[in-house]
Amino acid sequence: MEPLVIWSNAKLDDAARAALTEGTRAHRLVFASPVAPAGSAAADVALAEADVAFGQPAPAQLLVTPRLRFIQLNSAGYGPYDRDDLRRALAVRGARLTKSSLVYDEPCAEHVLAFMLARARGLDTAFANALGAHAWPQQEIRARARRLDGQSVVLVGFGSIARRLVELLAPFRMKITGVRRRVAGDEPVPTFVWGTAEAAAALAAADHVVDLLP
């Protein structure tokens, strides 16, 4: 097999860039010009010569890159690439486009949990006071603080991030409900279709609503 030309405009730190370089050393790795921002319509000559793209190539350019066979997005979302013309162009030349959903389940779920705890315990108010008035309203913050234990949370959107968040919330004994477009049947918590009476009732009763949509 001849070496592939691998193009990337992913924003990587030095360690990740070195790992990518080492992992692809049997091929020719080409980094995009730093002048053009990721996903911009600015033409990149190197992309036109690539077999593989990693990062956020401009959707318009993917329509005119007949050599490209595989596109790996470095994001969980793929909205700009969800186009009929792009799907047709990739299908004609047998190219594939994939995304990085599972990369983000752990950090995003932990991030959501951190915000839920911070808000429940009044840490946002405490930090703002520490950086500002220095009034130290302990009693006011304590009076407003809540425990997650026993509260209800509705997860809107139920992909890999929601599944991991359910696991992280388990020790808090919360009432967890999912809402999504289509119920698969393998969700670990009661899950309802968006727009149904059950989903509306869960949302109305929720202490927390977590938006996990793309």
Side-chain angles (χ1 to χ4, degrees):
M1 178 179 178
E2 293 186 5
L4 300 172
V5 177
I6 302 172
W7 173 96
S8 177
N9 69 342
K11 294 181 179 179
L12 306 172
D13 60 25
D14 291 342
R17 192 180 180 103
L20 179 61
T21 301
E22 174 63 23
T24 59
R25 62 179 178 174
H27 305 282
R28 184 160 71 90
L29 178 62
V30 179
F31 287 101
S33 168
V35 176
S40 74
D44 191 309
V45 176
L47 180 59
E49 301 175 353
D51 303 290
V52 176
F54 169 58
Q56 295 286 312
Q61 270 201 269
L62 297 182
L63 296 173
V64 291
T65 50
R67 180 169 169 172
L68 201 58
R69 290 293 180 269
F70 179 50
I71 304 104
Q72 172 66 53
L73 303 180
N74 64 339
S75 61
Y78 61 97
Y81 305 89
D82 188 13
R83 300 168 32 167
D84 289 338
D85 57 348
L86 183 52
R87 273 193 289 271
R88 286 193 298 269
L90 296 181
V92 165
R93 60 179 186 262
R96 294 289 182 269
L97 185 147
T98 58
K99 57 193 181 77
S100 301
S101 295
L102 297 179
V103 173
Y104 298 98
D105 53 358
E106 186 69 32
C108 288
E110 289 184 10
H111 200 73
V112 172
L113 175 59
F115 272 104
M116 291 177 68
L117 281 168
R119 185 59 179 160
R121 304 311 304 167
L123 298 186
D124 51 347
T125 302
F127 285 145
N129 179 75
L131 295 173
H134 295 274
W136 315 123
Q138 294 99 326
Q139 296 304 318
E140 177 185 341
I141 293 174
R142 184 176 297 174
R144 294 209 310 255
R146 295 292 181 268
R147 294 169 54 190
L148 295 184
D149 185 9
Q151 290 197 331
S152 61
V153 55
V154 175
L155 310 181
V156 182
F158 211 92
S160 59
I161 297 172
R163 289 180 183 276
R164 180 58 182 140
L165 184 56
V166 168
E167 296 173 347
L168 295 181
L169 292 175
F172 297 99
R173 297 178 294 277
M174 300 184 76
K175 179 183 178 182
I176 307 173
T177 304
V179 174
R180 65 189 314 187
R181 284 187 301 173
R182 291 183 295 275
V183 175
D186 62 349
E187 295 86 357
V189 296
T191 304
F192 305 110
V193 174
W194 178 264
T196 62
E198 293 86 352
L203 288 165
D207 296 296
H208 307 263
V209 176
V210 181
D211 178 1
L212 296 171
L213 299 170

